[in-house]
Amino acid sequence: LDRQKAGLLLPTAVPGDAPAEPEPEPEEASGWSFGADSVAFREGQIHFRDFAVGDEPQRLDLAVEDVSARNLALTLGASGVEPGHIVISAQIGGGSLGLDAQVESRPDGRATLSKITLAKLPIAGVRVYLTMFGWSDLTGSLDAEIEHRFETAGPHELAGSVSLSDVRASIPN
């Protein structure tokens, strides 16, 4: 992933060798649904270059041990929308990230309840965004338990706790 001064530049898909499938005839709309017991991305890497900070691009490499999602479900039908549920757990850079979210469409708009859990997520890469401190190195980890409630025509609430552990900042000279 590259972030230019104009915004995030996402990689493009590589076209396959298979011929394009013919477009099916349109049918009467009956809605759509998506469901998966589990989806996983394991033993991968994410390389992020940020051209929007400083003269030289800043590079952040993340080792992705495991990003797994389970209980993915959302249905949009002619009679309305059934609640969706998503659970994602990820092992990233020696730490972990978890998301458990409920999504519901109501007559007055969408409602979500999300719970985010971060454990021992490394913070070293954020040093380049804190240039005002002049740090040459930063280590430590982030832990958080956050609950987010949102309703289109109702409350927008964020609650929880965030903590930093084993923080060490180095200053030149």
Side-chain angles (χ1 to χ4, degrees):
L1 301 174
D2 286 345
R3 184 174 85 131
Q4 305 292 329
K5 292 191 188 300
L8 190 64
L9 178 64
L10 297 174
T12 58
V14 177
D17 295 332
E21 294 287 326
E23 291 289 324
E25 292 294 320
E27 297 178 11
E28 183 178 319
S30 62
W32 62 270
S33 64
F34 172 81
D37 290 330
S38 66
V39 177
F41 172 64
R42 294 192 176 101
E43 298 180 19
Q45 296 179 1
I46 297 174
H47 303 286
F48 183 73
R49 294 185 306 169
D50 196 340
F51 291 87
V53 178
D55 295 331
E56 294 294 318
Q58 299 296 319
R59 186 174 171 130
L60 175 64
D61 297 323
L62 288 174
V64 179
E65 297 165 28
D66 180 29
V67 176
S68 300
R70 57 184 169 77
N71 299 335
L72 303 168
L74 182 63
T75 302
L76 298 170
S79 63
V81 179
E82 295 179 23
H85 184 218
I86 183 170
V87 177
I88 298 175
S89 61
Q91 304 297 315
I92 299 175
S96 66
L97 176 143
L99 169 70
D100 188 334
Q102 303 284 333
V103 181
E104 184 178 352
S105 288
R106 299 178 178 171
D108 58 349
R110 184 162 309 207
T112 62
L113 172 61
S114 304
K115 294 179 182 178
I116 300 170
T117 304
L118 306 175
K120 298 188 185 301
L121 210 60
I123 63 167
V126 301
R127 176 188 58 82
V128 297
Y129 299 98
L130 305 172
T131 56
M132 70 290 261
F133 297 116
W135 295 335
S136 60
D137 193 24
L138 176 66
T139 62
S141 61
L142 173 69
D143 296 288
E145 292 278 337
I146 301 169
E147 186 172 291
H148 179 226
R149 292 178 182 269
F150 172 76
E151 295 179 25
T152 301
H156 187 73
E157 301 171 351
L158 187 65
S161 63
V162 177
S163 64
L164 293 171
S165 303
D166 302 319
V167 177
R168 181 176 300 176
S170 299
I171 302 168
N173 303 325

